[in-house]
């Protein structure tokens, strides 16, 4: 029975099912990889590659290098000395302390590591130095291959102003806007008024959703200019901004391109990336439910035109915004391997890392455009250490006390760089993993994703699996009726978690009762247990072999198989099981009085205080900024919820704060 056919009453309590094997050349090598790395003995590439990155992408590159018989070198900060990518590599070099500016962005230290280890090439992954033309120049000067495009393409496409001009010249559809650098907030307001609201303010050197703000009026433009320039300077060392028309309610669809140094270029179909929060992708799929063959080809051909215009060589991604009438507009080109590249690998069978290595060595592409298939359907969920109940995901830090990936399921791939005991720190991106599922159809891929999320065990940090689970089962998503506004439209008051229906609630209560009995009896197994009347006098039958030491408990509830996760650090539903006497006494317990949050401001997440805009004695208006917290290179403005006088300030710029720390008190 496929996962997508299971009744919806209690999917969140999860279930275990078996799937028939799916024959696909995308899965030619191993089930969890779902792409094919083909080593050609006569085709020598490099003896040793240094990966200038960390986490899951470093591990991803190392896997392909191992298959190709290439030695690998990992670089790491002092706090990453025991990280998974360090253990996987053949050699490892510490390049500095925890802050990225002192380690993973430390070009001098990385160049020293290259010299010491004798690495012949560098794969930059994504982020960090992957689109830094100076780094590519320094490698070229020392005869070390950069596994990516040359400096000209990085420069041309890395600057959003220049890339837009090049795109226009290459006859690529572009968004109306101002084609120069915006220097001041007032100039930004003037330009925005000329373009017409709403507008998008974004960093010229930006990417990954950083340094981007949507403005609907003059005041939001001034505020957006300030925050975007600050984020751009922090993330990219370049605070230049541009402004363009904001395409309201679009889809975000990108085209994967692959080009060599001999003038050959291909488009490897599209990826639908419309499910986003704060301009950062959350769920991606390939192909898109929206594109028809004509639009797909037109987008692919324009993406290749742009790649050829800058003599691009390597894997790259051309991003487009697509409106409801299938008009598409160039957004940007990422001159690196994209986070979501695995779903393209699943539907084409190509190993993009292998292709990048081949191109960097000077080989021609092995395929023509007619060779590129759309074979099946793939979906990726980005699993983050984030609290999804706060702005769809504010960072969470901590240690993974328990961690179990669902790799025993068929057609499931997990790209991760962590393990049980790993720390999720304030210094780096909060991504735990990329969870990818594959199927012959979208329904199969979605069914497998449901099952994979249900069987994914993460303890010790707050994570976004509840939100991911709700997204992929929501009727709008299942029907393909999505846009970049999906989350705020579906959850206008923020994500509140899944709301149980009556039958599902009864099953949950019955399951909790079974677990309570098992614990009370101090038995590892309870067989054939029934709950009597958990709710409204209804009878719910629960069968199963309970191993209370296991995080996953397969149960049969009223004849249907379920997979129950029991956790003490993070729960979807809080259930209390009391004896009759305890329940009677509990009615006399006073309720805890909620804190008056209108008079205090606490940090919603761990981070660093960037700015404090008030002092004791100041009078603040409702909505006025009080302070700014930065976490994972994203700046968050915290505002007053009422007009009041500032009583005390408990933080200052540069300080590190934890989630819930008191920042400011109001009278």
């Amino acid at each position: 029975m496929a996962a997508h056919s299971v009744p919806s009453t209690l999917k969140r309590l999860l279930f275990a099912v078996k799937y028939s094997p799916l024959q696909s050349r995308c899965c030619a090598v191993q089930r969890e990889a779902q792409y094919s790395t083909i080593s050609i003995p006569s085709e020598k590439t490099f003896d040793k590659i240094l990966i200038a990155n960390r986490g899951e992408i470093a591990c991803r590159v190392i896997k392909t290098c191992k298959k190709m018989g290439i030695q690998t070198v990992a670089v790491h900060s002092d706090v990453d000395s025991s990280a998974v990518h360090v253990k996987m590599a053949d050699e490892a070099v510490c390049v500095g302390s925890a802050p990225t500016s002192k380690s993973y962005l430390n070009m001098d230290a990385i160049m020293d590591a290259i010299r010491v280890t004798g690495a012949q090439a560098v794969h930059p992954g994504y982020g960090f130095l992957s689109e830094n033309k100076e780094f590519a120049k320094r490698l070229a000067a020392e005869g070390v291959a950069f596994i990516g495009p040359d400096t000209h393409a990085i420069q041309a496409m890395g600057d959003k102003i220049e890339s837009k001009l090049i795109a226009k010249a290459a006859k690529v559809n572009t968004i109306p806007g101002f084609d120069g650098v915006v220097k001041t907030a007032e100039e930004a307001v003037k330009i925005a008024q000329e373009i017409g609201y709403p507008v998008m303010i974004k960093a010229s050197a930006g990417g990954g959703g950083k340094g981007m703000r949507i403005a609907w009026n003059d005041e939001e433009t001034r505020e957006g200019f300030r925050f975007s320039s600050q984020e751009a300077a922090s993330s990219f060392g370049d605070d230049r901004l541009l402004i363009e028309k904001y395409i309201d309610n679009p889809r975000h669809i990108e085209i994967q391109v692959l080009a060599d140094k001999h003038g050959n270029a291909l488009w490897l179909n599209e990826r639908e990336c419309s499910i986003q929060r704060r301009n950062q992708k959350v769920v991606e799929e390939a192909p898109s439910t929206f594109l028809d063959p004509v639009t797909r080809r037109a987008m692919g051909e324009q993406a290749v035109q742009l790649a050829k215009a800058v003599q691009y060589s390597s894997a790259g991604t051309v991003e487009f915004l697509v409106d409801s009438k299938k008009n598409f507009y160039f957004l940007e080109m990422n001159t690196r391997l994209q986070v979501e590249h695995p779903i393209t690998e699943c539907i084409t069978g190509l190993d993009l890392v292998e292709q990048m290595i081949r191109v960097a060595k000077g080989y021609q592409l092995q395929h023509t455009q007619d060779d590129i298939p759309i074979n099946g359907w793939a979906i990726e969920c980005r699993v983050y250490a984030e609290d999804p109940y706060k702005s769809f995901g504010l960072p969470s830090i901590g240690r993974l006390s328990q961690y179990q990936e669902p790799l025993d399921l068929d057609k499931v791939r997990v790209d991760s760089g962590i393990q049980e005991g790993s720390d999720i720190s304030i210094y780096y991106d909060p991504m735990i993993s990329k969870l990818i599922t594959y199927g012959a159809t979208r329904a199969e891929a979605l069914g497998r994703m449901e099952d994979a999320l249900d069987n994914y065990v993460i303890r010790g940090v707050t994570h976004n699996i509840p939100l991911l689970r709700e997204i992929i089962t929501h009727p709008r998503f299942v029907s393909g009726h999505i846009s970049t506004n999906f989350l705020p439209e579906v959850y206008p008051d923020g994500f509140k978690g899944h709301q149980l229906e009556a039958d599902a609630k009864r099953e949950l209560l019955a399951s909790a009762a079974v677990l309570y009995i098992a614990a009370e009896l101090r038995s590892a197994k309870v067989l054939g247990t029934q709950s009597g009347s958990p709710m409204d006098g209804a009878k719910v039958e629960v069968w199963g072999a309970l191993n209370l030491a296991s995080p996953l408990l397969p149960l049969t509830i009223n004849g249907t198989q379920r997979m129950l996760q029991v956790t003490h650090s993070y729960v979807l539903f809080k259930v209390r099981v009391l004896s009759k006497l305890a329940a009677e006494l509990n009615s006399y317990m006073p309720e805890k009085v909620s804190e008056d949050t209108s008079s205090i401001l606490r940090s919603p997440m761990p981070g660093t205080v960037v700015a404090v805009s008030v002092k004791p004695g100041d009078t603040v208006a409702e909505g006025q900024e009080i302070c700014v917290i930065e976490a994972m290179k994203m700046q968050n403005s915290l505002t007053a919820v009422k007009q009041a006088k500032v009583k005390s300030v408990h933080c200052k710029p540069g300080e590190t704060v934890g989630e819930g720390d008191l920042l400011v008190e109001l009278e």
Side-chain angles (χ1 to χ4, degrees):
M1 179 174 61
H4 60 275
S5 66
V6 174
S8 62
T9 53
L10 199 59
K11 286 184 177 179
R12 283 82 191 164
L13 286 184
L14 320 180
F15 46 83
V17 293
K18 295 182 179 179
Y19 300 101
S20 299
L22 182 68
Q23 299 302 319
S24 169
R25 72 185 187 88
C26 296
C27 309
V29 179
Q30 55 181 5
R31 184 179 65 188
E32 65 270 20
Q34 295 172 342
Y35 55 85
S36 178
T37 305
I38 303 172
S39 181
I40 302 174
S42 61
E43 199 175 76
K44 181 175 174 56
T45 55
F46 303 102
D47 297 322
K48 185 182 292 187
I49 291 175
L50 180 142
I51 298 96
N53 217 300
R54 66 179 299 278
E56 65 88 10
I57 189 58
C59 295
R60 165 70 189 89
V61 174
I62 291 171
K63 287 177 183 177
T64 288
C65 287
K66 287 183 179 295
K67 292 175 186 175
M68 296 177 71
I70 300 171
Q71 295 285 298
T72 55
V73 179
V75 296
H76 64 89
S77 65
D78 54 2
V79 298
D80 272 347
S81 59
S82 298
V84 175
H85 77 282
V86 174
K87 297 176 181 178
M88 285 182 64
D90 299 294
E91 302 175 59
V93 179
C94 182
V95 290
S97 54
T100 56
S101 61
K102 297 181 179 179
S103 51
Y104 296 103
L105 292 174
N106 187 344
M107 275 192 260
D108 290 338
I110 293 174
M111 294 303 298
D112 286 341
I114 293 168
R115 297 184 193 103
V116 169
T117 60
Q120 301 164 322
V122 171
H123 197 299
Y126 56 76
F128 295 137
L129 298 172
S130 62
E131 295 177 283
N132 188 301
K133 65 180 184 298
E134 295 304 322
F135 183 55
K137 283 181 181 177
R138 291 184 64 172
L139 291 174
E142 297 208 17
V144 177
F146 179 72
I147 302 176
D150 63 23
T151 55
H152 166 69
I154 295 174
Q155 165 67 34
M157 293 294 100
D159 186 308
K160 286 184 170 56
I161 296 170
E162 185 178 353
S163 67
K164 189 173 180 180
L165 294 173
I166 293 172
K168 280 185 177 181
K171 301 189 184 307
V172 176
N173 303 344
T174 58
I175 301 171
F178 180 68
D179 294 332
V181 176
V182 184
K183 298 178 181 177
T184 66
E186 292 310 311
E187 184 184 5
V189 169
K190 181 180 178 182
I191 293 168
Q193 291 173 344
E194 292 173 353
I195 295 172
Y197 288 109
V199 297
M200 173 69 83
I201 304 167
K202 58 186 181 181
S204 177
K210 297 180 176 67
M212 298 176 67
R213 289 291 190 281
I214 300 167
W216 295 81
N217 54 49
D218 292 354
E219 188 55 38
E220 289 184 4
T221 298
R222 292 186 182 92
E223 184 180 84
F225 180 89
R226 179 163 67 94
F227 283 120
S228 291
S229 59
Q230 289 174 355
E231 285 182 3
S234 173
S235 299
F236 315 112
D238 184 344
D239 62 359
R240 293 176 303 144
L241 302 177
L242 60 87
I243 298 180
E244 61 190 19
K245 182 69 176 177
Y246 174 62
I247 308 299
D248 193 17
N249 212 37
R251 286 175 179 258
H252 184 136
I253 300 176
E254 61 192 28
I255 300 292
Q256 176 71 57
V257 296
L258 181 64
D260 62 25
K261 300 178 186 296
H262 305 274
N264 303 304
L266 307 173
W267 48 276
L268 308 183
N269 302 310
E270 80 277 5
R271 295 186 287 256
E272 172 77 69
C273 306
S274 296
I275 306 299
Q276 303 181 4
R277 52 98 177 92
R278 298 191 299 278
N279 297 309
Q280 291 183 311
K281 302 160 191 171
V282 179
V283 178
E284 302 102 344
E285 60 182 306
S288 168
T289 60
F290 189 62
L291 295 191
D292 55 72
V294 174
T295 308
R296 175 178 295 115
R297 176 170 290 278
M299 293 176 69
E301 289 176 350
Q302 286 199 18
V304 166
Q305 287 168 207
L306 182 61
K308 289 185 174 181
V310 292
Q311 299 178 329
Y312 196 85
S313 61
S314 194
T317 299
V318 180
E319 301 190 348
F320 293 94
L321 291 181
V322 186
D323 68 18
S324 60
K325 296 181 181 179
K326 298 184 180 178
N327 298 308
F328 56 91
Y329 305 94
F330 170 69
L331 184 63
E332 65 180 1
M333 182 175 189
N334 292 315
T335 58
R336 53 170 167 79
L337 190 64
Q338 211 62 344
V339 175
E340 57 274 17
H341 76 273
I343 55 177
T344 295
E345 294 182 324
C346 285
I347 68 167
T348 64
L350 295 176
D351 181 337
L352 294 183
V353 174
E354 178 193 22
Q355 297 303 316
M356 293 177 76
I357 292 171
R358 292 186 68 259
V359 168
K361 187 62 178 177
Y363 291 108
Q364 293 190 44
L365 298 182
Q366 298 168 304
H367 309 282
T368 65
Q369 191 63 57
D370 291 339
D371 297 330
I372 306 303
I374 295 181
N375 193 351
W377 212 285
I379 298 172
E380 174 179 290
C381 284
R382 299 192 187 191
V383 181
Y384 282 106
E386 291 182 338
D387 186 343
Y389 303 99
K390 296 179 178 178
S391 300
F392 299 112
L394 292 183
S396 170
I397 60 173
R399 177 167 293 179
L400 292 170
S401 57
Q402 195 169 18
Y403 184 73
Q404 183 177 312
E405 297 174 348
L407 289 174
D408 57 325
L409 303 179
D410 194 25
K411 304 299 186 294
V412 172
R413 168 177 167 181
V414 183
D415 281 16
S416 67
I418 48 89
Q419 60 187 2
E420 194 164 289
S422 292
D423 285 313
I424 307 296
S425 78
I426 192 175
Y427 297 106
Y428 311 118
D429 188 273
M431 182 184 286
I432 293 174
S433 73
K434 300 180 309 198
L435 178 63
I436 305 103
T437 57
Y438 174 80
T441 64
R442 187 171 187 261
E444 286 187 9
L446 278 174
R448 291 190 171 112
M449 181 59 75
E450 291 179 44
D451 203 17
L453 289 169
D454 294 347
N455 284 270
Y456 205 147
V457 179
I458 303 172
R459 306 283 188 269
V461 297
T462 304
H463 56 76
N464 69 333
I465 284 181
L467 175 60
L468 297 173
R469 188 66 166 70
E470 285 295 297
I471 290 171
I472 66 162
T473 57
H474 193 280
R476 267 190 61 177
F477 183 86
V478 173
S479 69
H481 180 52
I482 61 175
S483 74
T484 56
N485 292 325
F486 178 89
L487 288 179
E489 287 177 356
V490 172
Y491 309 104
D493 299 319
F495 179 63
K496 306 298 183 183
H498 178 65
Q499 305 302 308
L500 286 175
E501 296 178 356
D503 288 345
K505 188 174 182 179
R506 291 189 188 99
E507 293 183 9
L508 177 65
L509 293 173
S511 301
V514 169
L515 296 176
Y516 175 79
I517 293 169
E520 285 294 296
L521 295 176
R522 300 189 183 282
S523 171
K525 292 186 177 180
V526 179
L527 297 176
T529 304
Q530 291 188 4
S531 69
S533 300
M535 186 179 180
D536 301 331
K539 182 178 180 181
V540 179
E541 193 170 60
V542 181
W543 294 83
L546 300 186
N547 176 4
L548 297 183
S550 172
L552 296 173
L553 302 176
L555 298 177
T556 300
I557 305 175
N558 285 345
T560 302
Q561 284 187 306
R562 310 291 190 194
M563 183 64 76
L564 186 71
Q565 283 203 38
V566 181
T567 168
H568 302 287
S569 60
Y570 186 84
V571 292
L572 271 172
F573 305 104
K574 294 182 179 180
V575 179
R576 296 179 67 195
V577 181
L578 303 175
S579 66
K580 184 176 181 180
L581 176 60
E584 291 174 353
L585 295 175
N586 188 62
S587 64
Y588 298 103
M589 296 294 290
E591 292 186 8
K592 183 179 179 180
V593 179
S594 299
E595 188 175 52
D596 180 10
T597 57
S598 67
S599 298
I600 60 171
L601 181 67
R602 295 187 181 276
S603 179
M605 66 201 146
T608 302
V609 179
V610 175
V612 178
S613 307
V614 299
K615 62 182 183 300
D618 287 353
T619 297
V620 295
E622 181 181 350
Q624 181 178 332
E625 179 182 290
I626 292 179
C627 64
V628 178
I629 304 294
E630 182 180 278
M632 281 70 175
K633 299 299 181 183
M634 294 294 288
Q635 295 194 356
N636 300 270
S637 176
L638 307 183
T639 60
V641 298
K642 67 178 182 179
Q643 181 173 328
K645 192 174 184 179
V646 177
K647 180 180 179 180
S648 57
V649 176
H650 299 271
C651 62
K652 58 184 179 181
E655 283 187 343
T656 299
V657 295
E659 181 180 352
D661 284 1
L662 180 62
L663 303 175
V664 174
E665 290 182 276
L666 304 177
E667 292 184 354

